Amino acid sequence: MRYVVAITGCSGVRYGVRLLEELEGDKELVVSDMGRRVLEHETDISSDDLNALADDVYDDHDLFAPPASGTHVIDAMIVCPCSQSTMAKLAAGVSDSLLTRAASVCLKEHRKLILVPRETPLNTIMLENELRLARAGAIILPASPAFYQEPRSVEMLIDFVIGKILDQLGQEHDLFKRWE
Ligand SMILES: Cc1cc2nc3c(=O)[nH]c(=O)nc-3n(C[C@H](O)[C@H](O)[C@H](O)COP(=O)(O)O)c2cc1C
């Protein structure tokens, strides 16, 4: 399986890091400029350490890179976390960066696109953007961990969200206990 994993400038870039750690298959990474800045601000993970978790790393400004084309076949793209700015661009069909172009390609090729927003509260513009994208075929998977797992650490909260993403991709995992 081949995936594009994208990280935008959202609080919670650790979700994206954890996804890269757990996701099996070929991973192509695209990080927005703000994604790199928030990574530096919120974590002690360097840009190089992040890149090392992927098989290929593409510059978000490089629209000549493979994920910009529909002929470059991938199984799914996950934008985790997905900022409301990127969400708005995608909802409007703007594809002026590799990240937004690759996501737009996913929609036009009817490939799986998982968007993981982390924002609260949401205004009506944000809600309408998410609805528009869901109607266009994207999966809106908010970074919204459950508490019935009785989490005892931040890592457990993160793993719940990553487990939900892996469920969407059909990858088996034991990141959370299933409801019996
Ligand atoms: C420290 C920090 C945290 C942020 N957290 C969020 C967030 O959780 N959700 C969000 O939608 N935007 C958040 N933003 C705003 C985005 O970074 C901003 O809208 C940016 O333009 C997004 O660009 P990108 O989508 O290209 O990464 C945050 C900004 C900063 C500086």
Side-chain angles (χ1 to χ4, degrees):
M1 302 295 258
R2 184 193 281 165
Y3 302 107
V4 172
V5 175
I7 295 176
T8 66
C10 261
S11 187
V13 282
R14 283 172 64 184
Y15 285 114
V17 176
R18 188 75 183 117
L19 176 63
L20 285 166
E21 285 171 351
E22 287 298 315
L23 185 63
E24 293 164 5
D26 213 49
K27 288 164 275 190
E28 303 179 338
L29 176 65
V30 186
V31 186
S32 72
D33 291 346
M34 275 304 286
R36 298 251 175 222
R37 289 193 63 186
V38 177
L39 178 81
E40 193 185 333
H41 180 75
E42 283 192 350
T43 75
D44 52 10
I45 301 160
S46 70
S47 242
D48 286 347
D49 288 344
L50 181 73
N51 292 347
L53 295 170
D55 297 279
D56 295 291
V57 182
Y58 297 112
D59 186 335
D60 192 26
H61 301 276
D62 183 9
L63 278 142
F64 281 81
S69 170
T71 60
H72 179 71
V73 179
I74 58 162
D75 294 286
M77 174 169 176
I78 312 103
V79 187
C80 175
C82 182
S83 75
Q84 288 300 329
S85 172
T86 289
M87 197 74 80
K89 285 185 184 178
L90 298 183
V94 174
S95 38
D96 61 351
S97 64
L98 179 61
L99 195 159
T100 51
R101 168 65 186 165
S104 169
V105 165
C106 270
L107 293 178
K108 85 178 173 76
E109 300 289 343
H110 296 275
R111 293 179 189 143
K112 195 168 268 191
L113 175 64
I114 301 175
L115 304 173
V116 185
R118 199 247 49 98
E119 185 57 276
T120 195
L122 298 178
N123 61 37
T124 53
I125 297 168
M126 294 163 172
L127 290 164
E128 282 178 2
N129 285 339
E130 293 187 8
L131 177 62
R132 194 156 194 221
L133 285 160
R135 285 189 171 138
I139 295 163
I140 308 295
L141 196 156
S144 172
F147 284 77
Y148 51 78
Q149 305 276 325
E150 297 179 29
R152 290 176 303 282
S153 65
V154 174
E155 284 70 26
M156 285 181 76
L157 293 169
I158 293 173
D159 277 2
F160 182 84
V161 173
I162 303 311
K164 295 291 281 186
I165 297 171
L166 297 183
D167 280 356
Q168 288 294 327
L169 298 172
Q171 181 183 317
E172 284 184 21
H173 65 85
D174 56 3
L175 293 177
F176 55 71
K177 228 174 89 197
R178 293 191 186 278
W179 191 257
E180 301 270 319

